[in-house]
Amino acid sequence: MSKNLFGSAIQVFDSPDAASQYVASIVAETIDSRKEMLQPLVVGLATGSTMKNIYSHLVKKKEEGLSFSNVKSFNLDEYYPIERDNPQSFYDYMHRYLFNKIDINRQNIHLLSGAAPAGEVDCLAYEKAITDNGGIDIQLLGIGRNGHIAFNEPGSPFDSLTRFIQLDSQTREDAIAEFGGLANVPRKAITMGIKTIMKARRIILVAFGKQKSPALFKAFFGPLTKEVPASILQLHPNITIVVDEDCAEGLNQQRAEGIHLLKL
Ligand code: GLP
C-alpha cells in the first residue's frame, strides 16, 4: 500500500520490498510499452544496496516473460581505479545482480570504465553516447547520506557533465564494510554529472531507512544548493520519490523539528 507524504510526489511503502516491487513494475511497464517500437528504451541504472532488490524484482519480471532485448542501459558511475572483476566494482555488481540474468544485448550495456588508464577514460564520449542513443528515458537514482546523487559530491556544479571526482570522506566511510577497510576504498570515481542526470526524461529516486531521511529532507524541502547535490531534483519536471516507512518517519521527524520546509 503506498500513500503520499506531505501531499507531495513522495510515495511511501510499508516495506523496502513493496517499494522495490513498485519501482521494478514501473520500469517493466515502461519497457513493455516500448516493445513494438523501433526506438529502444534507454534506462539509466544505479548501484548501491538500495537497488539490489529492485534488480531482483526485474529479474523476476524477466522470468515471467519480460524481454530486455529492446533496452539500452547507461550506468551512473564507477569507482576509480578499480578492476572489473573486483566484486566491489559497479561493473561486477551490475553483471551479478542484473545483466547476467536478463536478455539485454551486451552491446547495449554502457558502463564507465574504472580499469582503463585515466587518459583513456573518455567522459565526453559517454555523454555523446547518451545523446546519440536519444537520451535517458528513465533514470533510477539513490541518494547518499551527504545528499549526493551518483557520485556528484557536495559542491558539484549543477551544470556538471560526466567526469572524474574526488570522493567525499563520508562516502568513503559508508563503503568501508564492502571494501573491508577504509584504505581499500578508492579515493576517486567517474560519475555522470548533475546536468547529465537532469536531462533524463523521468527520474525515480529511491531511499530506504532513517539514515537517508536527513539528506532527502534537505534535498526536497530545503533550498537549492550545491552543498546538497540532490536538491537540484526539485526542478525536475518528472520525478517520483519512493521511500519506505522508516525513511518517511524520519522525514516527518525532521518536519516536526521545524526544519526549513519548502514545497515539492
Ligand atoms: C553510492 C552510489 C550512489 C548511491 C549511493 C547510495 O554512493 N554512487 O549512486 O545512490 O551509493 O547507496 P546505498 O543504496 O547503498 O545507500
Side-chain angles (χ1 to χ4, degrees):
M1 215 1 214
S2 90
K3 56 182 181 287
N4 279 18
L5 193 66
F6 314 154
S8 71
I10 302 181
Q11 301 282 325
V12 186
F13 287 83
D14 292 343
S15 65
D17 186 56
S20 303
Q21 229 171 305
Y22 172 71
V23 175
S25 65
I26 295 178
V27 177
E29 279 160 24
T30 316
I31 292 173
D32 202 49
S33 69
R34 271 293 180 94
K35 71 179 172 202
E36 307 299 343
M37 297 192 198
L38 287 176
Q39 176 80 0
L41 184 80
V42 182
V43 184
L45 297 174
T47 49
S49 54
T50 313
M51 296 295 147
K52 288 181 189 170
N53 197 25
I54 294 173
Y55 295 147
S56 77
H57 281 291
L58 277 176
V59 170
K60 268 187 213 150
K61 301 270 183 202
K62 153 77 178 81
E63 287 159 3
E64 289 161 12
L66 178 73
S67 174
F68 290 74
S69 58
N70 199 30
V71 173
K72 293 190 175 187
S73 74
F74 285 87
N75 261 81
L76 281 172
D77 49 10
E78 178 60 285
Y79 288 110
Y80 192 87
I82 198 159
E83 293 300 323
R84 282 178 165 188
D85 61 1
N86 183 325
Q88 306 326 322
S89 75
F90 293 161
Y91 180 96
D92 187 83
Y93 172 111
M94 288 309 305
H95 284 79
R96 194 157 15 114
Y97 292 107
L98 190 64
F99 298 150
N100 289 345
K101 299 177 176 175
I102 58 173
D103 61 338
I104 188 167
N105 184 333
R106 297 294 173 223
Q107 286 164 345
N108 288 343
I109 295 172
H110 300 84
L111 283 147
L112 287 155
S113 174
E120 286 175 22
V121 178
D122 194 342
C123 296
L124 281 180
Y126 203 69
E127 288 288 330
K128 188 171 178 318
I130 295 173
T131 312
D132 290 351
N133 281 290
I136 293 169
D137 292 298
I138 184 163
Q139 174 69 59
L140 296 182
L141 263 192
I143 184 168
R145 284 194 304 134
N146 61 2
H148 74 212
I149 45 175
F151 272 137
N152 291 284
E153 299 287 27
S156 292
F158 286 153
D159 62 356
S160 52
L161 297 173
T162 302
R163 69 203 186 288
F164 282 89
I165 192 149
Q166 202 77 27
L167 293 177
D168 207 54
S169 54
Q170 190 174 37
T171 302
R172 293 187 68 234
E173 275 163 31
D174 285 347
I176 288 177
E178 283 152 35
F179 280 90
L182 185 62
N184 302 330
V185 182
R187 294 180 179 278
K188 284 187 181 175
I190 323 168
T191 183
M192 270 189 206
I194 294 185
K195 188 172 177 186
T196 324
I197 293 169
M198 284 296 282
K199 281 194 276 190
R201 286 185 268 281
R202 178 169 189 190
I203 292 178
I204 304 178
L205 177 84
V206 192
F208 298 148
K210 250 186 185 169
Q211 72 279 10
K212 293 291 173 75
S213 313
L216 203 62
F217 193 85
K218 279 188 215 145
F220 289 99
F221 302 99
L224 274 187
T225 165
K226 281 196 303 186
E227 296 320 306
V228 184
S231 65
I232 191 70
L233 298 171
Q234 291 179 28
L235 300 184
H236 196 279
N238 189 2
I239 182 163
T240 307
I241 302 155
V242 176
V243 304
D244 67 339
E245 280 286 359
D246 287 349
C247 184
E249 198 184 307
L251 288 172
N252 274 322
Q253 262 171 22
Q254 299 270 315
R255 189 168 67 153
E257 283 163 18
I259 296 166
H260 193 98
L261 244 185
L262 274 185
K263 49 122 216 184
L264 193 118

